Amino acid sequence: MEHDYTSQVVWTGNRGEGTSSYRSYDRTWDIAVPGKAVVPCSNDPLLGGDPGKMNPEDLLLSALSACHMLWYLHFASDAGIVVTAYEDTPVATGDVAAGGAGRFVSATLRPRIKVLPGTDMEKAAALHERIHDVCFIARSVNFPVRYDPAFEIADQSARRQPGDAAPEL
């Protein structure tokens, strides 16, 4: 079943001269999806972008990590594995050619996952290997994605109730 995704990217970097010269404009824009918060963006700080704003590389790596997390939580739920916290600090390696063309060459997802005592840790770890076959983003990238999960046993009292704040990892 096909379905569409929509977004609006609006360049915000016109300083009054448009693109009259290479240095006359900012590489900033907003991502605006109807009904959602606007995300102000810039290009990579290595290229003069604003380090305080998301750039396309940040967004791609974050989307890859979030997609993996959502599938992991789904598979864990199906497998009877109770996850009480999940945090990822993914890292990706990029390569820039002499002419400026860049690409990702690899990514490693490094989730830290809290599970309840008695969890089958081999089963919990094996779930990661299934995700690349179904994750929309992972199936769309052309670079290798590795997984380096770390597990922690949560206190039984770590079970959250609806409305509770997320536990610290």
Side-chain angles (χ1 to χ4, degrees):
M1 169 178 66
E2 288 187 6
H3 57 284
D4 295 331
Y5 295 90
T6 62
S7 181
Q8 181 182 31
V9 176
V10 179
W11 175 49
T12 60
N14 184 351
R15 294 186 209 146
E17 302 175 47
T19 59
S20 60
S21 73
Y22 184 75
R23 303 228 182 265
S24 69
Y25 62 96
D26 291 332
R27 280 74 172 163
T28 58
W29 66 93
D30 288 341
I31 297 173
V33 176
K36 299 179 183 181
V38 171
V39 178
C41 299
S42 182
N43 68 332
D44 189 310
L46 294 173
L47 303 170
D50 182 341
K53 294 181 180 178
M54 298 289 271
N55 62 56
E57 296 80 9
D58 296 332
L59 295 167
L60 178 62
L61 183 59
S62 297
L64 179 65
S65 173
C67 188
H68 185 92
M69 175 192 69
L70 292 169
W71 274 105
Y72 186 85
L73 297 173
H74 173 83
F75 286 158
S77 177
D78 284 352
I81 295 170
V82 178
V83 174
T84 62
Y86 186 110
E87 177 182 306
D88 193 6
T89 54
V91 62
T93 301
D95 181 40
V96 179
R103 67 186 182 106
F104 279 115
V105 294
S106 68
T108 302
L109 305 182
R110 303 178 303 181
R112 292 176 53 205
I113 303 162
K114 279 190 181 182
V115 294
L116 290 182
T119 296
D120 181 336
M121 299 307 255
E122 285 184 30
K123 187 176 177 183
L127 295 178
H128 289 283
E129 298 305 320
R130 297 175 44 204
I131 295 171
H132 197 87
D133 294 333
V134 293
C135 171
F136 200 96
I137 307 301
R139 289 175 44 84
S140 300
V141 300
N142 67 352
F143 53 85
V145 179
R146 293 187 256 320
Y147 317 104
D148 184 18
F151 292 92
E152 184 178 333
I153 303 300
D155 183 344
Q156 189 75 346
S157 65
R159 284 187 169 215
R160 296 181 57 223
Q161 299 299 317
D164 287 352
E168 293 292 321
L169 287 176

